Amino acid sequence: MTIFMSDILCVTNRRLCEEDFLTRAEKIAAASPAGIILREKDLSQEEYYALAQSMMAICKKQQIPCILHTFIGIAEKLGAKEIHLPMPVFRTLTGEKKAYFRTIGVSCHSVLEAKEAERLGASYITAGHIFETDCKWGLPGRGLSFLKEVCNAVNVPVYAIGGITPEKIAGVRQAGAAGACVMSSLMQCDSPEKYLAAFQ
């Protein structure tokens, strides 16, 4: 399993970027986060393949993990050893596929899912959404008590996701999380380097 050097994972959403997406990705990678999860599920396989090539090159230059999302076949074609999967997709993964990847992250939305993901061999899980976020408009966050419950239920690292800001990271860490995932705010902030530094 990859040992992350930071406790902040960056999740992409190119539609939120006001500047060129790969330019933003280069700035994020230069700030040395734990890794970048390329989460662009609306793309066709061909489009994702092309974007993943570029993102992997950016991450390799900065020596941080590039974690592909959902597209297992593309990850194999590109030789990517880190992947993040929705729980329904992870459930379908064969033992052979699991053995191929060095790191497998899994999105979980309940304690039961977290326990199942650990049992099935997840390297780490993301638990959310913790706070209200524009990505889940109108849905209340599950809160830090939920996060703490998930962290206490499993032995694999748990990363909080959903509305995480520098002001909220202390509570996330105190709940027992290994770190947090940041998406919307990082795609839109003026300086990714300064923004990520604020989490330290």
Side-chain angles (χ1 to χ4, degrees), residues 49 52-53 56 60 66 68 71-83 100-102:
Y49 182 89
Q53 282 184 307
M56 288 177 69
K60 183 177 181 180
C66 180
L68 302 191
F71 294 98
I72 297 167
I74 290 174
E76 291 178 306
K77 285 181 183 179
L78 291 174
K81 292 293 187 175
E82 283 82 29
I83 197 158
Y100 168 82
F101 291 104
R102 180 166 51 236

Side-chain angles (χ1 to χ4, degrees), residues 11-150:
V11 183
T12 70
N13 186 337
R14 72 192 189 288
R15 291 170 295 179
L16 296 178
C17 291
E18 294 183 1
E19 65 180 332
D20 174 73
F21 173 65
L22 291 178
T23 299
R24 171 64 42 149
E26 288 174 350
K27 292 177 182 177
I28 293 170
S32 299
I36 298 178
I37 300 175
L38 186 62
R39 185 186 183 276
E40 304 292 337
K41 295 193 293 183
D42 63 307
L43 294 179
S44 67
Q45 291 205 30
E46 293 77 13
E47 292 169 328
Y48 189 88
Y49 182 89
L51 188 60
Q53 282 184 307
S54 298
M55 184 63 76
M56 288 177 69
I58 289 170
C59 291
K60 183 177 181 180
K61 181 180 178 182
Q62 299 296 338
Q63 297 184 318
I64 64 169
C66 180
I67 305 166
L68 302 191
H69 196 291
T70 301
F71 294 98
I72 297 167
I74 290 174
E76 291 178 306
K77 285 181 183 179
L78 291 174
K81 292 293 187 175
E82 283 82 29
I83 197 158
H84 191 97
L85 300 172
M87 190 67 202
V89 177
F90 182 53
R91 288 186 181 114
T92 69
L93 215 59
T94 64
E96 182 180 0
K97 297 285 187 184
K98 290 176 186 175
Y100 168 82
F101 291 104
R102 180 166 51 236
T103 303
I104 304 175
V106 182
S107 299
C108 298
H109 302 94
S110 70
V111 172
L112 286 178
E113 281 191 348
K115 288 181 176 180
E116 181 183 2
E118 180 181 38
R119 186 174 69 252
L120 293 176
S123 307
Y124 72 90
I125 65 172
T126 58
H129 62 286
I130 303 305
F131 303 109
E132 289 188 18
T133 171
D134 289 344
C135 299
K136 303 285 186 181
W137 185 255
L139 293 176
R142 292 185 170 91
L144 291 174
S145 58
F146 164 76
L147 177 61
K148 185 174 183 178
E149 191 177 357
V150 171

